[in-house]
């Protein structure tokens, strides 16, 4: 039996959290060392995973399945495919970066323990192929995030943490009911009582109305997590009040639990219901894109601005998910990563501004480009990525989503695409107010980027540029799983993908090049 | 040589990367020379490619070069690929050629600027993006360049970013262009949906062979035109270009006159077959908007007092002429005018830059005058540029403008009249500018006190490195007409050269009244130019009549003001309304529900201290117990 790499990806950070929690508070360097080592090992493993992932295969790889609670049909079933691969890698890499790069300022020991537990939870969520297991991890994630916001956040942190917790718990409650009902109702089709995702998805044949009820039970939980309009208002509060590391992780990987959930559980388990309800999701996603962007424009607090921009960006991802074409869905998965990278970097940058000026209010900042040109340059590149300028990562995902959605959600796409105008508006306007102009007295000694900060941002910028110019390695790994998911939906609903009927058309044009 | 076309964009890219890494160490003027060398070597390569093409038969002058697969998903195959053909090489020749001259000029102009090397960093990035735009094999590579030049334009307009107006102008340019970019994206989606590819050859081939329905072709063409309206500053999206004059003058010359703003014309030419396959009213819309913009901007130009604003509105107006040509099926004439315009408008902008430089950053023409003696070379070359744009034979602008008007006459006589009126206004306002700046009384003598310090303020001629480009461009503005002389078929060099690209979509005007009487039209154009110049001389040099410069024209028909008024007023209020709605209604419902559930207003506080913490702890402990159980069962 080969090394259970996926299990290790969950247990190493979990174990690290435990060790950190048990260490003495009086040995801070040991605490830090443990956390750094643990997350570095996890990062190493996720890179190894990326390297040994078989490109071009649609199915789950590195699976590991063990009976857990036999009587209830719960198993420790883990697997990874093109949809989850890069999310796992991002989770593996993002945590060491924030653990090394961001200083929590106080109570480092519990902070690091929570961070590592959070990583374990997120990893578990992305790797679980068992409904019950998924639910456990999905819920675990809330706990460390709650304490991170509540313990290391800003002025209004307790309110924000509570709101975040209750809001997501509310969604999860529906999902828990949904999960149990799904397992119960699938029993006859599958042949035995099980929570196994693959078995249920491949064998269960829900009546249309049943499937729709179950789908919506899951969908509410995911919609809150994404967050989808109008269930998004926990996000600006949580983001604004969370410590920088919390915001980076929240935007970077945690929101993707929602969009990932739609793909992995929503569409896969209930293809008919997902196909049936897609106009609703197109509409909510499109509203989110425009509405989030407009709300972002008027924010006074930089972090709130970025938070609302997330609402808009995630709207694109949901649109692409339900568009059910290979371009749109591949774009959605790609965009989950891209948004994680560029919004993560934006939160880092805003965090650095806060460290220097102890404010996030746009009106308090002015003329920073003059005093800190390198800082401004880094901000500019990340901003352009978020705006979706071609050649940078954000564009590739957005473009694929839109061109793919244009086939199946035409008029929504026409409206959604105007979001790219608004994205330029809110970011450039904020940039102008913060970085342009003559710096006033309080901003005139704004410190330039430090080497450690620069090094961290360089990693993000490298990812932004590389993905923008050469996304093919990612696409090659994502696409097969997406195609197989589309086929799965086609087989189980009356949906027919427009996909490759244009292959012959393309053939005709290819001939031109001879 | 055709195998090495990748060098053309790669050289400015290399320049960009080198300056990015070593720019600060290189400093002034080395960074400038490095950038100029990068652009200049790209010009040499382009010229060699061009010569190589000339030696080949017309059918063999197209070269595709696939560098790598860029975005391949499902049936969508987008390559990072270049296309060299007569059109793209024509564009690349004048982009790199004029680009090099402007790089050299900027070494003098930007002297002493603390961000000297950064300026050339952006300039090389711009050259790279612009070359990708014109050499793209498909719409997406072009779009990469399209947005790239947009970003560079943003950086360079707000180059002096501590100035509030420059920062605002940069943002305005980017956002307005994005409106147009939406159109380009829609065009791409429609094309992919209809043809299954984004490559020009694939789309145009389908369009030429009826592979695209008329409705779709119309939609694609008009969506592209929306993009063109943004990038090439046509009504209703032109508003960013006059403000873009906030950027350093070499930028105005290169980006906002000669190259970037012509991208829309290029794109429409590249996709000509699609426009050709559209409903007949689609080209008419384009021609009408072009003519309207040409006239509209010309009327504004007559009342401007800022030396660069005159040229900016003039550029908008001349771009309108190019779209008038596109809409009339005169693709060759459009490209012809694009090239000659690049010569003389770059010349005029650089000349104005030289004046501004010599006048110590004075841009108000009312404080100039009589500069021809103090700045003889600037004045001489500027006058050549003036003659070229005013449509005086045998200067370049005369032939290209006349070629357009010939096609317009054959196509739509009402638009011809608009074109002629615009031509008259052009001659008028350019003469006005030349007189105000170089002739008459020296008004800067009164103004010197406001300049403060030095009482002995005397405008001075610019350094040689700035004058050399002026002389070269002046030469080109004189001779540019040779590209396409109207006198005999054999002298239509540009037409023969572009024939493989435009043969399908170019309008055929042979046998029309206009074609048979083209010398009459030539004569009419000369007369109109002469009238324009004569009136202007009478008004501004001889003082025989009062200048007509009403406020409504100086203020651009209040169009820009109305838009910014709307954006700052009701638009902003609406946005604020949405933000308020979110805070009070959407979030209010959530908080309200939470409160309602708890039944008391302080539920949140109670909840946070009691329930949530406990619950969180339960989940946390529960999870750990579950994991422990799992580990103890030894299933790993």
């Amino acid at each position: 039996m080969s090394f259970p790499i996926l299990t290790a990806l969950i247990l190493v950070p979990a174990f690290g959290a435990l060790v950190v929690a048990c260490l003495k508070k009086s040995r801070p360097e040991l605490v830090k060392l443990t956390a750094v080592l643990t997350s570095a090992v996890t990062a190493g493993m996720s890179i190894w995973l990326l390297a040994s992932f078989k490109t071009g295969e649609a199915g789950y790889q590195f699976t590991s399945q063990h009976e857990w609670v036999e009587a209830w049909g719960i198993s420790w079933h883990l697997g990874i495919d093109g949809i989850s691969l890069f999310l796992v890698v991002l989770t593996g890499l993002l945590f060491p970066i924030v653990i090394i790069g961001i200083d929590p300022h106080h109570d480092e020991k519990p902070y690091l323990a929570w961070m590592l537990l959070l990583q374990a939870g997120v990893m578990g969520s992305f790797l679980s192929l068992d409904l019950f297991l998924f639910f456990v991890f999905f819920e675990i994630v809330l706990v460390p995030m709650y304490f991170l916001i509540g313990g290391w956040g800003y002025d209004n942190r307790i309110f924000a943490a509570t709101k975040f917790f209750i809001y997501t718990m509310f969604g999860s409650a529906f999902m828990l009911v949904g999960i149990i009902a799904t397992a119960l109702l699938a029993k006859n089709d599958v042949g035995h009582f099980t929570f196994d995702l693959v078995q249920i998805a491949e064998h269960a044949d829900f009546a249309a109305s049943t499937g729709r009820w179950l789908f919506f039970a899951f969908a509410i939980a995911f919609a809150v997590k994404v967050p989808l309009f109008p269930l998004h208002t926990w996000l600006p509060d949580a983001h604004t009040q969370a410590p920088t590391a919390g915001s980076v992780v929240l935007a970077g990987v945690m929101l993707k639990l929602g969009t990932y959930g739609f793909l992995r559980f929503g569409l896969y388990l209930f293809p008919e219901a997902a196909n049936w309800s897609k106009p609703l999701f197109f509409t909510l996603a499109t509203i989110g894109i425009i509405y989030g962007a407009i709300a972002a424009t008027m924010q006074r607090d930089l972090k709130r601005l970025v938070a609302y921009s997330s609402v808009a960006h995630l709207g694109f991802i949901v649109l692409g998910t339900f568009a059910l074409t290979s371009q749109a869905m591949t774009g959605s998965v790609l965009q989950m990563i891209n948004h994680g990278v560029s919004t993560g970097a934006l939160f880092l940058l805003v965090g650095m501004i806060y460290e220097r000026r102890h404010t996030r209010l746009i009106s308090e900042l002015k003329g920073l480009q003059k005093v800190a040109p390198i800082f401004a340059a880094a901000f500019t590149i990340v901003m352009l990525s978020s705006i979706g300028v071609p050649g940078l990562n954000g564009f590739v995902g957005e473009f694929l989503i839109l061109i793919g959605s244009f086939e199946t959600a035409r008029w929504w796409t026409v409206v959604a695409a105007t979001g790219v105008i608004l994205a330029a508006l809110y970011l450039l306007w904020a940039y102008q107010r913060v970085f342009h102009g003559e710096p006033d007295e309080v901003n005139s000694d704004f410190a330039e980027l430090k080497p450690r900060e620069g090094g961290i941002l360089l990693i993000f910028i490298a990812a932004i540029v590389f993905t923008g110019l050469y996304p093919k390695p990612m696409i090659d790994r994502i696409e097969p799983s997406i195609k197989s998911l589309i086929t799965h939906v086609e087989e189980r609903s009356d949906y027919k993908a427009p996909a490759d009927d244009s292959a012959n058309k393309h053939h005709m044009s290819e001939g031109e090049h001879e | 040589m055709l195998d090495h076309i990748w060098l053309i964009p790669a050289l400015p890219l290399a320049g960009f990367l080198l300056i990015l890494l070593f720019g600060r160490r290189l400093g002034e003027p080395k960074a400038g020379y490095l950038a100029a060398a990068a652009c200049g070597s790209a010009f040499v390569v382009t010229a060699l490619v061009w010569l190589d093409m000339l030696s080949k038969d017309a059918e063999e002058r197209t070269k595709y070069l696939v560098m790598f697969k860029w975005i391949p998903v499902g049936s969508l195959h987008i390559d990072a690929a270049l296309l060299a053909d007569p059109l793209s090489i024509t564009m690349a020749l004048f982009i790199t050629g004029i680009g090099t001259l402007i790089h050299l000029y900027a070494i003098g102009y930007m002297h002493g600027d603390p961000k000297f090397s950064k300026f050339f960093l952006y300039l090389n990035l711009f050259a790279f993006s612009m070359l990708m735009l014109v050499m793209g094999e498909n719409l997406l590579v072009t779009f990469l360049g399209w947005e790239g030049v947009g970003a560079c334009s943003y950086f360079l307009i707000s180059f002096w970013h501590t100035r509030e107006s420059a920062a605002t102008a940069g943002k305005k340019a980017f956002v307005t262009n994005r409106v147009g970019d939406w159109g380009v994206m829609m065009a791409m989606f429609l094309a992919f949906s209809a043809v299954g590819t984004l490559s020009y050859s694939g789309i145009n081939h389908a369009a030429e062979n009826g592979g695209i329905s008329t409705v779709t072709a119309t939609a694609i063409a008009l969506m592209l035109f929306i993009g063109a309206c943004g990038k090439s500053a046509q009504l209703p999206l032109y508003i960013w270009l006059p403000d873009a004059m906030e950027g350093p003058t070499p930028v105005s010359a290169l980006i906002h006159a000669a190259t970037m703003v012509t991208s829309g014309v290029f794109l429409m030419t590249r996709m000509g077959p699609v426009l050709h396959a559209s409903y007949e009213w689609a080209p008419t819309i384009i021609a009408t908007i072009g003519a309207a913009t040409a006239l509209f901007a010309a009327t504004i130009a007559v009342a401007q007092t800022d030396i660069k604003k005159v040229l900016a509105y003039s550029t908008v107006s001349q771009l309108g002429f190019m779209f008038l040509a596109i809409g009339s099926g005169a693709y060759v004439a459009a490209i012809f005018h694009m090239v000659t315009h690049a010569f003389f408008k770059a010349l005029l902008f650089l000349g104005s830059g030289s004046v501004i430089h010599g006048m110590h950053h004075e841009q108000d023409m009312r404080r100039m005058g009589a500069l021809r003696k103090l700045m003889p070379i600037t004045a001489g070359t500027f006058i050549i540029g003036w003659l070229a744009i005013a449509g005086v034979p045998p200067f370049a602008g005369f032939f290209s403008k006349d070629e357009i008007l010939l096609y317009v006459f054959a196509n739509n006589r009402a638009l011809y009249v608009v074109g002629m009126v615009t031509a008259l206004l052009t001659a008028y306002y350019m003469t006005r500018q030349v007189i105000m700046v170089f002739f008459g009384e020296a008004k800067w003598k009164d103004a010197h006190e406001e300049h403060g310090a030095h009482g002995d303020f005397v405008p001075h001629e610019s350094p040689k490195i700035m004058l050399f480009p002026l002389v070269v461009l002046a030469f080109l503005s004189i001779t540019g007409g040779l590209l396409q002389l109207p006198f005999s078929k054999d002298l239509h060099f540009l037409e023969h050269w572009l024939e493989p690209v435009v043969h399908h979509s170019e309008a055929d005007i042979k046998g029309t009244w206009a074609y048979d009487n083209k010398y009459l039209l030539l004569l009419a154009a000369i007369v109109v130019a002469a009238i324009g110049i004569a009136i202007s001389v009478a008004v501004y040099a001889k003082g025989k009549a009062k200048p007509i410069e009403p406020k409504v024209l100086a203020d651009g028909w209040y169009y820009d003001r109305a838009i910014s008024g709307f954006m700052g007023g009701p638009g902003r209020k609406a946005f604020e309304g949405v933000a308020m709605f979110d805070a009070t209604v959407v979030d209010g419902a959530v908080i309200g529900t939470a409160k309602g559930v708890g039944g008391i207003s302080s539920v949140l506080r109670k909840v946070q201290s009691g329930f949530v913490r406990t619950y969180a702890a339960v989940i946390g402990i529960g999870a750990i117990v579950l994991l422990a159980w799992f580990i103890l069962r030894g299933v790993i």
Side-chain angles (χ1 to χ4, degrees):
Chain A
M1 187 179 145
S2 61
F3 180 68
I5 177 89
L6 301 188
T7 304
L9 277 173
I10 301 169
L11 291 188
V12 167
F15 185 69
L18 199 66
V19 173
V20 167
C22 296
L23 282 169
K24 279 210 183 82
K25 208 178 171 182
S26 55
R27 301 286 306 276
E29 73 293 341
L30 207 59
V31 168
K32 182 93 183 185
L33 185 70
T34 313
V36 169
L37 274 181
T38 318
S39 61
V41 169
T42 315
M45 288 191 300
S46 54
I47 289 173
W48 182 86
L49 185 72
L50 179 63
S52 33
F53 185 87
K54 285 199 195 66
T55 310
E57 275 187 25
Y60 298 107
Q61 303 185 24
F62 305 98
T63 48
S64 132
Q65 187 162 21
H66 305 281
E67 289 304 327
W68 187 10
V69 189
E70 224 159 318
W72 296 348
I74 302 172
S75 63
W76 177 268
H77 188 186
L78 306 178
I80 193 166
D81 67 353
I83 296 172
S84 52
L85 173 67
F86 290 99
L87 289 164
V88 168
V89 174
L90 183 62
T91 310
L93 299 180
L94 202 56
F95 276 84
I97 291 176
V98 295
I99 285 175
I100 295 167
I102 300 168
D103 181 6
H105 294 301
H106 63 88
D107 298 308
E108 200 167 28
K109 189 180 98 130
Y111 169 85
L112 290 172
W114 287 128
M115 285 296 279
L116 290 171
L117 182 61
L118 182 60
Q119 185 179 23
V122 176
M123 279 287 188
S125 307
F126 287 138
L127 292 171
S128 299
L129 295 180
D130 181 281
L131 293 180
F132 193 84
L133 194 61
F134 171 74
F135 183 77
V136 170
F137 284 120
F138 195 78
E139 290 301 283
I140 284 183
V141 165
L142 296 184
V143 181
M145 193 42 112
Y146 169 77
F147 285 108
L148 282 170
I149 297 175
W152 288 265
Y154 299 107
D155 301 344
N156 207 9
R157 56 183 182 272
I158 303 291
F159 170 77
T162 309
K163 189 172 175 183
F164 158 76
F165 196 93
I166 294 184
Y167 215 136
T168 13
M169 272 304 300
F170 157 80
S172 306
F174 285 91
M175 185 163 72
L176 180 60
V177 175
I179 285 176
I180 294 168
T182 303
L184 285 171
L185 292 168
K187 192 181 167 191
N188 281 339
D189 294 328
V190 180
H192 57 277
F193 185 69
T194 180
F195 282 97
D196 191 88
L197 169 71
V198 183
Q199 289 191 36
I200 297 176
E202 295 299 331
H203 301 296
D205 183 22
F206 300 112
S209 63
T210 317
R212 289 170 192 176
W213 279 109
L214 295 174
F215 171 73
F216 274 99
F218 281 81
I220 288 178
F222 298 142
V224 169
K225 203 81 170 188
V226 169
L228 200 57
F229 174 89
L231 303 174
H232 63 274
T233 56
W234 63 270
L235 184 73
D237 286 323
H239 260 321
T240 316
Q241 299 304 326
T244 300
S247 292
V248 172
V249 171
L250 193 58
V253 289
M254 267 184 67
L255 300 185
K256 280 60 182 205
L257 289 177
T259 46
Y260 168 80
F262 273 121
L263 279 169
R264 175 70 84 229
F265 299 93
L267 292 179
Y268 189 40
L269 282 173
F270 313 106
E272 194 279 337
N275 182 45
W276 172 76
S277 60
K278 63 188 180 185
L280 173 70
F281 288 96
F282 292 154
T283 308
L284 292 179
T286 307
I287 293 176
I289 291 168
I290 307 297
Y291 180 93
I294 292 176
T297 314
M298 301 318 297
Q299 295 307 313
R300 296 177 179 85
D301 180 310
L302 273 177
K303 259 188 152 182
R304 279 189 93 83
L305 187 150
V306 182
Y308 274 104
S309 85
S310 283
V311 175
H313 279 124
L314 273 289
F316 279 108
I317 297 175
V318 173
L319 175 67
T321 299
F322 282 89
L324 296 172
T325 64
S326 56
Q327 289 87 22
M329 292 171 78
T330 305
S332 283
V333 176
L334 204 56
Q335 196 64 352
M336 289 187 210
I337 308 301
N338 293 337
H339 173 264
V341 172
S342 44
T343 308
L346 272 179
F347 276 122
L348 269 175
L349 284 157
V350 175
M352 290 172 190
I353 292 176
Y354 187 84
E355 291 278 304
R356 288 162 164 77
R357 290 277 294 104
H358 298 287
T359 182
R360 297 179 306 265
L361 286 180
I362 294 171
S363 56
E364 295 285 310
L365 302 159
K366 197 166 189 282
L368 300 187
Q369 185 170 348
K370 186 170 181 189
V371 281
I374 301 177
F375 191 103
F379 196 99
T380 304
I381 295 172
V382 175
M383 169 177 80
L384 292 179
S385 144
S386 189
I387 290 175
V389 170
L392 304 177
N393 62 347
F395 175 74
V396 183
E398 229 166 66
F399 172 77
L400 279 173
I401 289 170
L402 290 171
I403 202 168
S405 304
F406 193 73
E407 294 287 319
T408 50
R410 180 152 299 188
W411 294 105
W412 285 281
T413 307
V414 170
V415 178
T418 60
V420 304
I421 304 170
L422 293 169
L425 179 65
Y426 63 74
L427 278 170
L428 292 186
W429 191 33
Y431 185 88
Q432 181 189 353
R433 287 176 290 169
V434 172
F435 286 92
H436 284 159
E438 195 71 54
D440 52 14
E441 206 170 314
V442 281
N443 287 304
S444 57
D445 53 357
F446 189 88
E448 184 55 287
L449 221 49
K450 296 183 190 72
R452 181 174 81 159
E453 295 170 330
I456 290 171
L457 287 171
L458 209 55
I459 301 174
F460 283 89
I461 290 172
I464 284 171
V465 175
F466 181 80
T467 315
L469 294 178
Y470 197 54
K472 188 168 174 288
M474 289 177 77
I475 291 172
D476 286 347
R477 285 164 177 81
I478 295 169
E479 197 192 352
S481 302
I482 288 296
K483 278 193 166 151
S484 117
L485 180 57
I486 294 175
T487 314
H488 178 86
V489 175
E490 283 179 321
E491 285 165 2
R492 287 166 178 78
S493 71
D494 50 11
Y495 174 72
K496 187 82 197 76
D500 290 346
D501 62 335
S502 49
N504 49 347
K505 279 187 279 183
H506 182 73
H507 187 70
M508 183 190 83
S509 59
E510 283 266 286
E512 288 291 289
H513 286 245
E514 308 307 311
Chain B
M1 204 59 218
L2 277 178
D3 293 330
H4 299 298
I5 52 170
W6 58 273
L7 274 170
I8 299 172
L11 286 165
L13 179 65
F16 163 76
L17 292 173
L18 285 173
I19 299 175
L20 184 68
L21 294 174
F22 308 113
R24 285 191 177 198
R25 225 172 301 162
L26 286 170
E28 187 188 347
K30 281 190 200 139
Y33 283 114
L34 173 66
C39 197
S41 48
F43 174 70
V44 172
V45 175
T46 314
L48 291 174
V49 170
W50 176 60
L51 290 173
D52 192 14
M53 270 190 188
L54 277 179
S55 69
K56 289 183 158 63
D57 292 335
E59 305 81 55
E60 288 166 14
R61 286 176 183 164
T62 302
K63 168 77 186 172
Y64 296 97
L65 184 73
V66 178
M67 292 176 291
F68 55 89
K69 286 189 191 308
W70 186 16
I71 305 184
V73 181
S75 55
L76 178 72
H77 298 276
I78 297 170
D79 293 334
L82 298 177
L83 159 62
D85 71 351
L87 179 61
S88 62
I89 288 304
T90 306
M91 300 292 298
L93 268 178
F94 84 79
I95 292 163
T96 52
I98 296 178
T100 308
L101 291 172
I102 293 174
H103 273 76
L104 288 174
Y105 177 94
I107 293 172
Y109 193 86
M110 298 304 288
H111 170 69
D113 195 289
K115 297 202 307 173
F116 184 86
S117 55
K118 197 164 220 174
F119 182 80
F120 288 94
L121 176 81
Y122 293 144
L123 229 48
N124 262 356
L125 182 63
F126 170 79
F128 163 72
S129 305
M130 191 67 211
L131 290 165
M132 291 305 283
L133 192 163
V134 297
M135 293 181 68
E137 178 269 345
N138 54 61
L139 275 166
L140 203 69
V141 175
T142 290
F143 195 62
L144 169 81
W146 183 273
E147 292 264 290
V149 292
C152 292
S153 162
Y154 164 72
F155 296 144
L156 285 164
I157 294 170
S158 43
F159 186 74
W160 289 314
H161 52 77
T162 50
R163 214 160 61 193
E164 209 61 58
S165 54
T168 306
K171 177 191 66 190
K172 184 174 174 181
F174 197 103
V175 175
T176 314
N177 268 295
R178 274 256 151 165
V179 177
D181 297 347
W182 173 85
V184 180
M185 297 211 336
M186 287 301 129
M188 285 196 276
F189 303 160
L190 282 162
F192 175 64
S193 176
V195 197
T197 179
L198 290 183
S199 83
Y200 289 122
S201 58
I203 298 169
N204 286 337
H205 188 259
E208 287 167 14
N209 297 290
I212 304 180
S213 71
T214 314
V215 185
T216 312
T218 310
I220 295 174
L222 291 182
M223 284 299 157
L224 283 175
F225 182 60
I226 291 178
C229 283
K231 199 60 87 201
S232 297
Q234 296 298 290
L235 280 171
L237 298 178
Y238 79 91
I239 46 169
W240 63 273
L241 187 58
D243 289 21
M245 297 302 123
E246 286 289 339
T249 302
V251 172
S252 312
L254 178 63
I255 302 184
H256 304 121
T259 56
M260 182 186 86
V261 289
T262 62
S263 309
V265 183
F266 160 78
L267 188 60
M268 298 311 293
T269 308
R270 180 57 94 205
M271 297 283 281
V274 175
L275 182 59
H276 192 69
S278 307
Y279 288 115
E280 271 177 32
W281 48 263
T284 309
I285 288 182
I286 293 172
T288 309
I289 290 186
T293 309
L295 180 61
F296 177 80
T299 60
I300 299 173
V302 303
Q304 298 303 308
T305 51
D306 183 311
I307 185 170
K308 281 177 74 181
K309 282 276 164 75
V310 176
L311 296 175
Y313 281 106
S314 163
T315 304
V316 175
S317 176
Q318 297 296 312
L319 290 165
F321 256 101
M322 295 175 211
F323 283 102
L324 179 56
I326 296 280
S328 309
Y331 293 94
V332 174
I335 299 293
F336 182 27
H337 197 57
M338 182 199 286
V339 173
T340 60
H341 176 258
F343 294 157
F344 61 69
K345 192 52 71 64
L347 169 61
L348 290 168
F349 262 116
L350 294 185
S352 76
S354 178
V355 170
I356 295 166
H357 193 74
M359 293 281 300
H360 294 206
H361 300 285
E362 177 62 77
Q363 295 190 202
D364 192 331
M365 297 194 297
R366 288 169 300 189
R367 293 181 178 172
M368 296 178 182
L371 289 177
R372 70 181 185 286
K373 287 191 182 126
L374 293 165
M375 311 177 79
I377 298 181
T378 303
T381 51
F382 198 95
I383 285 169
I384 291 170
W386 159 59
L387 293 170
I389 192 176
V392 174
F395 297 92
F398 168 72
F399 291 108
S400 56
K401 193 186 288 184
D402 190 68
E403 176 97 355
I404 293 175
L405 288 171
L406 173 66
Y407 276 79
V408 175
F409 192 95
N411 186 52
N412 186 327
R413 290 182 192 185
L415 293 180
Y416 174 79
V417 174
V418 176
M420 287 298 265
V421 174
T422 308
L424 190 144
L425 286 172
T426 308
Y428 171 82
Y429 67 70
M430 284 311 299
T431 310
R432 168 180 176 267
Q433 181 171 42
V434 167
I435 294 169
M436 285 177 84
V437 175
F438 294 105
F439 293 88
E441 290 168 39
K443 310 221 179 65
W444 38 268
K445 280 177 182 154
D446 325 327
H448 76 262
E449 269 168 26
E450 288 169 47
H451 277 279
H454 32 101
D456 54 347
F457 169 75
V458 177
H460 57 81
E461 183 61 291
S462 296
K464 286 205 182 74
I465 196 153
M466 287 169 69
L467 296 178
F468 168 71
L470 292 180
V471 174
V472 177
L473 287 168
F475 172 75
L476 292 169
S477 299
I478 299 171
T479 56
L482 294 174
L483 284 173
Q484 172 94 341
L485 291 172
F487 308 114
S488 116
K489 198 75 190 157
D490 297 336
L491 297 173
H492 291 199
F493 301 111
L494 195 65
E495 191 176 317
H496 297 311
W497 171 244
L498 290 176
E499 216 255 325
V501 183
V502 301
H503 68 95
H504 183 82
S505 29
E506 183 83 358
D508 184 11
I509 58 164
K510 275 197 204 81
T512 59
W513 187 90
Y515 187 79
D516 297 335
N517 297 279
K518 60 183 173 184
Y519 292 107
L520 210 59
L521 295 179
L522 272 183
L523 193 64
I526 295 172
V527 171
V528 158
I531 295 174
I533 293 171
I535 298 176
S536 200
V537 168
V539 173
Y540 290 97
K542 313 260 190 240
K544 287 191 178 155
K546 270 206 158 160
I548 307 167
E549 296 173 10
K551 196 164 166 2
V552 61
L553 296 184
D555 226 339
W557 296 99
Y558 305 122
Y559 178 76
D560 188 30
R561 184 177 290 190
I563 289 186
S564 37
F566 176 80
M567 290 299 185
R572 188 172 177 155
K573 283 232 170 63
F575 271 42
E576 260 163 13
V578 170
M580 274 294 280
F581 174 81
D582 194 63
T584 53
V585 180
V586 182
D587 196 36
V590 174
I591 299 290
T593 313
K595 284 178 179 170
V597 169
I600 42 165
S601 59
S602 61
V603 65
L604 272 176
R605 208 181 320 143
K606 276 204 168 176
V607 152
Q608 76 204 22
S609 53
F611 168 69
V612 177
R613 257 183 187 287
T614 318
Y615 188 84
V618 168
I619 293 188
I621 293 165
I624 290 162
V625 169
L626 280 172
L627 281 172
W629 179 20
F630 169 67
I631 292 162
L632 287 177
R633 281 171 59 104
V635 283
I636 295 174

